[in-house]
Amino acid sequence: MAASERARDEQYEYTYRQDLQQPYPGSYPGREPGDSRIPRSRKRPEPARQQEKKTQSLTAGELRQLIGVTVFVAVLLIGTLVLNAYAANIQCSINSLTKANMSLEDEIDVLNMKIDESTSIEQIESYAMKELHMRYPKSSQCIYIEEDTKLMDNFGQVLRQKAYAGQKK
């Protein structure tokens, strides 16, 4: 064991030549004399915080592209907001018109009900008797048209003559 330690120490130990002030060809470059640490075959990874400190510099073209994309996205978002506000305004108008339409439909329904009430036979009869003082005709006041009577071109005159002929007597 002692021999292996001695061989390791001798293998990694720097020895300088007097004339060149450089280590002999078998030694590791970049080591200080008296440094007995074993050199590593690969480089240690840098800690995460040191890697974060490294920043990438952008070229002028990349910076222009980044600014252009940012401005485009901002304009797109602002446009979306404006369109949403416009759509909300239109929807508000639609809602108010729908409400007004519903109230008009209700009013139309009420008026249709009143029309149906006022055009019933009973309503017309009571109005004629009370307001216009109309009465049913008596049998002597009725005019009958016979089947054998020909209808002439002046049917109105014939009807008038028969109606007034009964009154003159």
Side-chain angles (χ1 to χ4, degrees):
M1 179 119 41
S4 66
E5 285 180 18
R6 195 170 357 121
R8 181 182 54 86
D9 289 342
E10 287 176 3
Q11 182 180 5
Y12 295 105
E13 203 171 284
Y14 285 102
T15 52
Y16 289 91
R17 291 183 8 199
Q18 298 292 344
D19 55 338
L20 298 176
Q21 291 292 326
Q22 289 185 357
Y24 286 114
S27 64
Y28 287 99
R31 294 201 49 194
E32 299 293 326
D35 190 8
S36 62
R37 291 184 294 164
I38 300 173
R40 300 189 183 263
S41 61
R42 56 188 164 123
K43 190 176 179 181
R44 284 187 182 178
E46 294 182 16
R49 60 189 128 120
Q50 288 180 356
Q51 287 178 354
E52 290 174 6
K53 289 181 183 178
K54 291 183 181 179
T55 58
Q56 294 179 346
S57 60
L58 298 174
T59 63
E62 291 172 338
L63 189 59
R64 275 190 221 112
Q65 285 180 348
L66 185 62
I67 290 172
V69 168
T70 304
V71 168
F72 176 73
V73 169
V75 167
L76 192 64
L77 290 175
I78 290 171
T80 303
L81 288 174
V82 168
L83 287 176
N84 281 340
Y86 184 68
N89 190 13
I90 289 174
Q91 187 63 42
C92 182
S93 298
I94 289 171
N95 290 342
S96 65
L97 289 174
T98 302
K99 187 182 281 186
N101 191 19
M102 288 175 63
S103 68
L104 288 174
E105 285 178 356
D106 291 343
E107 187 176 338
I108 288 170
D109 289 341
V110 168
L111 291 174
N112 281 334
M113 287 173 45
K114 285 183 179 179
I115 288 172
D116 289 342
E117 260 180 34
S118 64
T119 57
S120 69
I121 296 294
E122 295 85 19
Q123 191 70 21
I124 292 172
E125 185 179 341
S126 71
Y127 178 77
M129 290 182 152
K130 290 179 183 173
E131 299 292 324
L132 301 176
H133 304 290
M134 297 176 84
R135 303 283 176 240
Y136 282 106
K138 297 177 184 168
S139 62
S140 63
Q141 295 173 329
C142 292
I143 300 173
Y144 296 102
I145 300 175
E146 299 164 2
E147 290 181 24
D148 60 340
T149 310
K150 286 186 176 179
L151 292 177
M152 300 176 228
D153 292 335
N154 53 3
F155 179 71
Q157 286 179 350
V158 172
L159 187 62
R160 203 175 299 136
Q161 286 174 357
K162 284 191 176 187
Y164 290 116
Q167 288 182 354
K168 289 181 181 178
K169 292 181 183 179

